[in-house]
Amino acid sequence: SITRGMAIGVFHSARYHIDIGLHVFPTRKYQLVRDRVASLPGAGDDIVFVEPEPATWDELALVHTQEYLGNLRSGTLSASDLAQLELPWSEEMVEGFRLMAGGTIQAALLACAVRRREDLQVRSSETGMAVHIGGGFHHAFPNHGEGFCPVNDVAVAVRVLQQRGVDRAAIIDLDVHHGNGTAFIFESDPRVFTFSMHQQHNYPMWKPRGSLDVGVMDGTGDADYLRQLAE
């Protein structure tokens, strides 16, 4: 919900619409969500849309290996890499997902007041809140991408926050799929709590253990899902 009188920074870019051909992962969805948010009552007063900056390659290297990033950047991923990623390689794809990673980083910095709000043109908020319409690429591992996730933007954002002095972070992942890449990345970092609530008998087959994992059974309805989440 939108609280009147407190502006919320919402990060989005039209460049999130990436041409990946006919695909089960339609990138047009980001613009549709942005348009729906803009149509909410009071949105013009209480929401500031912010154009993000791309994540730098050095920021991505806080999580991903230099070899993987080099192959991603140059288009030299192997056929098996691309099959695991399930996205066609193009410079537009790489730059679009790098931009989305930047949106996640900047939303995290804004929410934690790590960076001056004036830098991000959010005029008055002290909500401790920011929104990113994009990102959430929790299947990416340090040395490869998976399941439409070339880079793990949330993990990169947490590493950036840690560099800026944020001691503890929690990642609440409510995607239908388990956050396997995120769990793997932070499995040995006690400063990061990873929670994934997902359909148990669904992708991915291998689910590395996070701090708290809740596998939801097939056919679970809204009421039962919300009850389990509240618990």
Side-chain angles (χ1 to χ4, degrees), residues 34-157:
R34 190 263 184 217
D35 293 344
R36 180 70 180 92
V37 170
S39 71
L40 294 173
D45 297 325
D46 300 322
I47 289 178
V48 177
F49 287 101
V50 185
E51 177 78 17
E53 302 166 2
T56 69
W57 291 100
D58 286 342
E59 287 171 333
L60 296 178
L62 295 173
V63 168
H64 298 286
T65 66
Q66 291 290 354
E67 180 181 6
Y68 171 62
L69 291 177
N71 290 335
L72 182 65
R73 192 172 187 174
S74 63
T76 53
L77 296 169
S78 68
S80 61
D81 289 335
L82 291 172
Q84 198 167 24
L85 178 57
E86 300 181 72
L87 285 174
W89 185 91
S90 69
E91 185 175 348
E92 179 190 6
M93 183 276 287
V94 173
E95 290 306 306
F97 280 88
R98 190 162 73 96
L99 183 63
M100 277 191 268
T104 301
I105 292 169
Q106 289 171 264
L109 291 172
L110 176 60
C112 295
V114 173
R115 182 176 175 183
R116 290 189 305 117
R117 296 177 191 276
E118 294 82 358
D119 293 344
L120 296 177
Q121 300 175 348
V122 177
R123 50 182 168 76
S124 62
S125 174
E126 290 300 332
T127 60
M129 180 188 302
V131 176
H132 182 208
I133 302 175
F137 305 126
H138 58 174
H139 297 314
F141 283 73
N143 65 347
H144 69 273
E146 276 188 23
F148 322 141
C149 301
V151 295
N152 196 312
D153 59 303
V154 175
V156 172

Side-chain angles (χ1 to χ4, degrees), residues 153-198:
D153 59 303
V154 175
V156 172
V158 168
R159 291 300 189 211
V160 171
L161 289 175
Q162 289 175 334
Q163 280 193 329
R164 306 290 185 93
V166 173
D167 292 328
R168 300 179 67 194
I171 298 172
I172 311 302
D173 187 341
L174 302 180
D175 189 84
V176 69
H177 303 121
H178 177 263
N180 56 339
T182 306
F184 180 86
I185 289 164
F186 293 115
E187 65 177 349
S188 300
D189 190 340
R191 299 170 297 171
V192 181
F193 184 93
T194 58
F195 169 60
S196 178
M197 186 165 165
H198 49 269

